Amino acid sequence: MVAPIVIADDHPLMRGALRQAVHKLLPEVSIEEADTLSDAVGIIEGGGAQLLLLDIHMNDSTGFAGLASIRQRFPAIPIIVVSASDDDWVIGRAARFGASGFIPKSSSMTEISDALDTVLNGDLSFPDIVDDSAHDPEEERAVRQIASLTPAQLRVLSGLTEGKLNKQIAYEMDISEATVKAHVTAVFRKLEVINRTQAVLKAKTLLVPEAQVSD
C-alpha cells in the first residue's frame, strides 16, 4: 500500500488548494488532512507518509518546533513547509531545520504543483533567497543544537519557553516529574546551557518574529 501525502494546515481553504494541487499532479494518490500537528503525527504513525505539507503556524505549533520535531521523529519523510511568512529569513530557517521545500501561501497552483513534483522526485524546492546572511555563527549553532533534540526533549523545551513547571510539563506529556528532569538535563547538555533562562533564550531560534507572522 502506497503511503499517503499528508496536508497539515489549520486553514480549510489552504488545505483545499493543496489538495487540488496534489490531485492535479497525482490523481490516484491518497491524501490525509490534519489541522493540528498532533493529528498529523497520528496520521503518520498510523500509515506513514510519502510527503508532508506542513504549516508552521497551527494551534499546537508555532514556529519551527513542529518541523524540528517531525524531522527528528520521521527522518525519511520529505517535508515541504507551507507558510504565509515567506521572507528570506523564514525560508532560510526552514531549510536549516530540515525542510525539503517551501511553498509561500501566495503561490499559484502551478507553482505549488511544481514544488510538489520537485520534492517527490527527490530534489529540493525553495524560492530564490535574496539575502539570508543576517545570522551570526552563534545563531546557526543554536539551530543545529535544537535540531539535535529528540521529540520529547523539544516538547520539554517548549514547556520551558512557556514558563511551565516540571509538574505541569509532566502532566501534559503523561510522564513522571523525574523523567521531565532527565529531559531537562539532556536539553541543557545539548544546548550547552546551565539554566532555564539560557535554554529559553536559545529556544527563540525556533520562533518566527511576530512581524513576520500573518494569516
Side-chain angles (χ1 to χ4, degrees), residues 41-63:
V41 169
I43 291 170
I44 296 171
E45 287 179 333
Q50 58 177 295
L51 174 68
L52 171 64
L53 298 170
L54 178 68
D55 183 7
I56 57 173
H57 298 297
M58 292 187 286
N59 290 335
D60 62 344
S61 176
T62 298

Side-chain angles (χ1 to χ4, degrees), residues 130-142:
V130 177
D131 180 14
D132 186 41
S133 61
H135 305 289
D136 60 37
E138 282 302 311
E139 204 166 285
E140 297 308 320
R141 185 182 181 192

Side-chain angles (χ1 to χ4, degrees), residues 179-193:
T179 300
V180 172
K181 289 179 181 178
H183 284 319
V184 169
T185 298
V187 168
F188 286 1
R189 184 181 70 253
K190 287 185 177 182
L191 299 188
E192 298 181 343
V193 299

Side-chain angles (χ1 to χ4, degrees), residues 125-180:
S125 178
F126 290 92
D128 292 334
I129 295 178
V130 177
D131 180 14
D132 186 41
S133 61
H135 305 289
D136 60 37
E138 282 302 311
E139 204 166 285
E140 297 308 320
R141 185 182 181 192
V143 170
R144 292 192 297 271
Q145 290 172 331
I146 291 171
S148 75
L149 299 178
T150 67
Q153 290 164 358
L154 278 166
R155 287 189 65 184
V156 169
L157 179 59
S158 293
L160 297 181
T161 63
E162 295 168 11
K164 294 177 180 176
L165 302 174
N166 284 358
K167 63 181 180 181
Q168 294 174 296
I169 297 173
Y171 176 79
E172 292 181 357
M173 294 180 65
D174 194 24
I175 57 178
S176 69
E177 284 191 58
T179 300
V180 172

Side-chain angles (χ1 to χ4, degrees), residues 75-96:
I77 297 175
I79 302 170
I80 297 179
V81 167
V82 182
S83 179
S85 309
D86 59 357
D87 68 5
D88 293 352
W89 189 94
V90 177
I91 295 169
R93 188 51 52 89
R96 290 186 180 88

